């Protein structure tokens, strides 16, 4: 059986995408077509915030893309040196919260020590943060995407935990989505069906 997965392939060096691997192990022919694209924005503002850990009570990451935005800011040689020399240690003296193991692994690759990776959702992570953080701390810094859910910011604000958000990436339709779908269906059905996107 053919299976079409409308998702991005898993990034990293861990080998083939686990969904493809699992489906193929069960005799299916699986194809991935990415549906989303990400554009990184606010790089200068993000860089400024990362260089001033004393102005924040900690960091919150709920997506791998937000961590990627931070990595892009640290590509500059001088910034990377400053990060490794002192900034990451200053951030590690604060709380670094994450949702999920993939995001936690990326945060660790920055030299940071995350907590909350087993929470699984922003809702559960917000409860952990509310339990642990004082209300009189500087704001937690939350780099996020343009279509983030408001669960975490709302819960923290309602419970008096200071928060500063910055949109660091925008989510859009993958530029090749229509073309990739047409190619897939043309190949699979070899012109048997007339269809239009």
């Amino acid at each position: 059986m053919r299976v079409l997965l409308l998702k991005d392939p898993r990034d990293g060096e861990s080998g083939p995408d686990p969904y493809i691997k699992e489906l193929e192990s069960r005799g299916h022919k699986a194809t991935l077509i990415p549906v989303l694209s990400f554009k990184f924005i606010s790089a200068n503002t993000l860089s400024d915030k990362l260089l001033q850990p004393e102005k924040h009570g900690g960091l919150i990451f709920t997506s791998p893309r937000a961590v990627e935005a931070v990595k892009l800011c640290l590509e500059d040689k001088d910034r990377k040196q400053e990060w490794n020399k002192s900034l990451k240690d200053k951030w590690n003296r604060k709380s670094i919260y994450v949702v999920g193991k993939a995001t936690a692994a990326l945060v660790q690759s920055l030299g940071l020590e995350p907590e909350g990776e087993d929470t699984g959702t922003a809702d559960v992570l917000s409860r952990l943060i509310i339990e642990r953080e004082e209300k009189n701390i500087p704001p937690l810094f939350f780099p996020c995407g343009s279509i983030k859910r408001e669960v975490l910011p709302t819960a923290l604000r309602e419970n008096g935990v200071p928060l500063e958000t910055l949109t660091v990436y925008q989510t859009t339709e993958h530029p090749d989505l229509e073309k990739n779908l047409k190619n897939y269906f043309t190949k699979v059905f070899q012109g048997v069906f007339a269809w239009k996107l």
Side-chain angles (χ1 to χ4, degrees):
M1 175 179 10
R2 291 183 181 269
V3 178
L4 175 60
L5 300 170
L6 299 174
K7 68 178 278 305
D8 275 334
R10 173 166 276 163
D11 295 334
E13 301 167 5
S14 59
D17 186 273
Y19 290 99
I20 295 286
K21 192 174 176 181
E22 179 66 22
L23 287 164
E24 287 179 350
S25 76
R26 296 174 185 268
H28 303 294
K29 173 136 177 63
T31 302
L32 287 174
I33 294 181
V35 295
L36 301 176
S37 181
F38 303 96
K39 178 182 177 191
F40 294 101
I41 59 173
S42 309
N44 291 336
T45 305
L46 177 58
S47 291
D48 291 345
K49 303 251 181 236
L50 293 171
L51 295 173
Q52 300 174 20
E54 67 280 356
K55 292 189 174 184
H56 295 92
L59 287 166
I60 301 173
F61 294 102
T62 59
S63 75
R65 298 291 182 253
V67 183
E68 287 177 36
V70 169
K71 280 187 172 189
L72 288 172
C73 288
L74 298 177
E75 284 182 350
D76 175 77
K77 183 181 175 186
D78 293 336
R79 266 194 223 115
K80 183 78 166 172
Q81 277 184 325
E82 190 171 357
W83 179 261
N84 288 326
K85 183 178 176 184
S86 66
L87 287 173
K88 74 177 172 188
D89 291 332
K90 289 178 182 177
W91 280 111
N92 273 326
R93 288 195 276 282
K94 301 171 181 289
S95 299
I96 313 290
Y97 294 105
V98 299
V99 169
K101 295 186 185 307
T103 303
L106 288 170
V107 167
Q108 288 169 334
S109 75
L110 294 172
L112 298 175
E113 300 163 10
E115 51 189 307
E117 71 181 56
D118 293 324
T119 56
T121 67
D123 182 45
V124 177
L125 180 63
S126 67
R127 284 184 254 147
L128 175 71
I129 295 169
I130 291 163
E131 287 173 13
R132 292 188 177 178
E133 296 298 333
E134 300 291 327
K135 291 178 170 83
N136 60 351
I137 62 167
L140 297 171
F141 179 50
F142 179 29
C144 55
S146 58
I147 59 172
K148 74 178 179 318
R149 293 177 55 225
E150 290 297 322
V151 171
L152 187 134
T154 300
L156 295 185
R157 286 189 184 106
E158 286 176 354
N159 286 277
V161 177
L163 181 70
E164 181 181 345
T165 63
L166 176 67
T167 301
V168 296
Y169 68 93
Q170 293 176 326
T171 306
T172 61
E173 178 183 301
H174 192 282
D176 297 327
L177 177 62
E178 185 174 347
K179 179 184 79 165
N180 291 339
L181 285 170
K182 282 181 182 178
N183 289 342
Y184 174 80
F185 286 113
T186 299
K187 180 179 161 187
V188 169
F189 297 113
Q190 299 175 2
V192 173
F193 300 106
W195 64 281
K196 184 177 180 183
L197 280 179

